[in-house]
Amino acid sequence: MPLRGQYAAQCIFHSLNCKQALYHIQRQHLAFPASAIYSSRFKSDVAIPHSVQHPATVSSDVVKSTFLNPAAALNPPDSTLPPILSPPQREPNLSRLDLLKFYYRTGKAYLSFYKSGIKAVWANYKSLRQLRTRIPSGRSAEQALRDGHLTRGEYHLIRRTRSDVSRIPLFGVVLLICGEFTPFVVLFLGLNGAVPKTCHVPKQVDGAREKLEARRRESFRQGTITGNNLTDVGDITKLPKPILAHVGKSLGLYSSLWDRIGVTPTPILSWRMRKFVEKIDADDFALERDGGIEHLSDEESKRAAEERGLDVLGKPTGEVRAALDHWLDARKRTSIFHLLSTRPSAWPQPQGENLIEKSNV
């Protein structure tokens, strides 16, 4: 993050009296060679440098602690998620004065929620600075994850914190100016992209998922994937432009405003797709290495499925985890672009099993 951004973020953090973090982030200091417990089983879609494929050997005590607590290795700390929001309940037949008091208490509850979310970002940022010391110079977080210098939970803490910190300056200004009216301003002006994920209220989370899944359904209805065989396509440069646009819509990699003007930002989308594939490749690797889908929390299961273009709204956790299991199994047999551009019903099915029912498009 640029120095100016860091300074602005720290000023906002301290102005909200954030010296004491709300969350105690427990981290498993995992740093072991991935090759010791995991052999690559996926069809690789991103070239892995030679130095990443041969990490250094480290203490076996760290490996043992990871196996004893796979949930801690797989799941990032709760401070990367929004805190619990407890607005007051509205009673019937309120007088005008009582109604004003209710709205005031509601605003105070949201203000407390936002402050807690920003404190969580500050706590995560301090943890991020510590984790940076474990990433070798010149290596990305994805490479450090594959090397065994990071657990999956720590890797996602890094990813989410970087995103949240970049949103703090603008959101902090809105919060300082609007105070208790911030939630109304955010919803009215549609400032979801400027709000840290730790400050997303449940309505924002569900609303964003509804919009993305509706956009995904519309893209599949357009039939852009008919007649295309992507099972052996491992290079993004070989993707037809309609497929690239379809996958970009399905994953929400570019704004829907581009759809309204009938233009696909191909150069931007290609770059984002390449970065996306690198992240998913590393995450798939860590999911199996650090313990498996069954140790993911309910919310992390939904987030992992959503990130891979799978619908999660209204689905029980068991079905979401089955979809993730299907994804990991199918990645051994086909390319990631085939999975991203088709519904699970078109993926290779495990022999003797039918983990996923055919999706209704």
Side-chain angles (χ1 to χ4, degrees), residues 2 15 82 119 126 132 156 161 234 269 283 295 321 325 342:
S15 69
K119 289 179 182 180
K126 292 193 292 186
R132 282 175 179 168
H156 278 275
T161 302
L269 182 55
D283 195 44
H295 295 291
R321 288 178 176 164
D325 276 328
T342 57

Side-chain angles (χ1 to χ4, degrees), residues 67-305:
F67 281 117
L68 292 176
N69 196 356
L74 280 167
N75 299 291
D78 289 342
S79 58
T80 62
L81 302 174
I84 297 176
L85 176 62
S86 301
Q89 297 296 320
R90 180 174 178 176
E91 298 179 359
N93 303 321
L94 291 177
S95 65
R96 291 185 178 180
L97 179 61
D98 290 336
L99 188 60
L100 290 175
K101 290 181 179 179
F102 164 76
Y103 285 128
Y104 176 76
R105 290 195 301 269
T106 300
K108 295 288 287 185
Y110 275 94
L111 182 61
S112 176
F113 170 83
Y114 285 138
K115 286 184 176 180
S116 298
I118 292 181
K119 289 179 182 180
V121 177
W122 177 237
N124 294 338
Y125 180 66
K126 292 193 292 186
S127 297
L128 168 61
R129 289 189 296 183
Q130 295 178 0
L131 289 175
R132 282 175 179 168
T133 63
R134 305 213 331 249
I135 300 178
S137 178
R139 299 292 181 87
S140 66
E142 288 75 26
Q143 291 171 336
L145 178 65
R146 285 183 175 274
D147 280 345
H149 297 294
L150 298 172
T151 66
R152 181 184 182 273
E154 291 168 339
Y155 168 67
H156 278 275
L157 184 147
I158 291 174
R159 283 183 55 188
R160 295 175 189 179
T161 302
R162 286 174 175 172
S163 174
D164 287 341
V165 168
S166 68
R167 303 179 184 199
I168 283 292
L170 177 58
F171 178 69
V173 171
V174 174
L175 183 62
L176 290 174
I177 294 175
C178 301
E180 291 85 350
F181 298 99
T182 298
F184 305 105
V185 174
V186 169
L187 293 175
F188 180 75
L189 297 180
L191 298 177
N192 284 359
V195 180
K197 291 295 182 69
T198 58
C199 297
H200 277 200
V201 299
K203 186 177 181 179
Q204 281 179 279
V205 175
D206 291 340
R209 284 174 174 168
E210 288 176 2
K211 289 181 180 179
L212 181 59
E213 292 187 10
R215 192 181 182 196
R216 183 180 301 136
R217 286 193 298 269
E218 179 61 27
S219 185
F220 273 101
R221 286 195 187 102
Q222 292 175 1
T224 56
I225 61 171
T226 303
N228 289 279
N229 186 354
L230 302 176
T231 57
D232 295 321
V233 175
D235 188 350
I236 192 173
T237 60
K238 297 180 180 179
L239 277 182
K241 288 185 179 181
I243 302 298
L244 182 64
H246 163 66
V247 176
K249 291 179 185 178
S250 178
L251 299 174
L253 295 181
Y254 68 97
S255 173
S256 59
L257 293 175
W258 292 99
D259 296 338
R260 297 177 185 177
I261 62 178
V263 177
T264 301
T266 302
I268 298 175
L269 182 55
S270 296
W271 179 82
R272 289 181 178 176
M273 183 70 72
R274 187 173 291 105
K275 299 296 293 184
F276 170 82
V277 171
E278 290 177 359
K279 293 173 182 177
I280 294 299
D281 260 350
D283 195 44
D284 286 346
F285 174 89
L287 276 174
E288 293 212 341
R289 182 195 67 185
D290 290 354
I293 302 297
E294 64 272 16
H295 295 291
L296 285 176
S297 66
D298 292 353
E299 180 60 27
E300 290 302 326
S301 297
K302 290 182 179 180
R303 289 192 171 214

Side-chain angles (χ1 to χ4, degrees), residues 12-28:
I12 293 170
F13 288 140
H14 287 290
S15 69
L16 293 173
N17 193 24
C18 298
K19 293 182 180 180
Q20 297 296 328
L22 287 183
Y23 300 91
H24 175 67
I25 302 175
Q26 298 179 344
R27 301 185 304 277
Q28 295 293 323

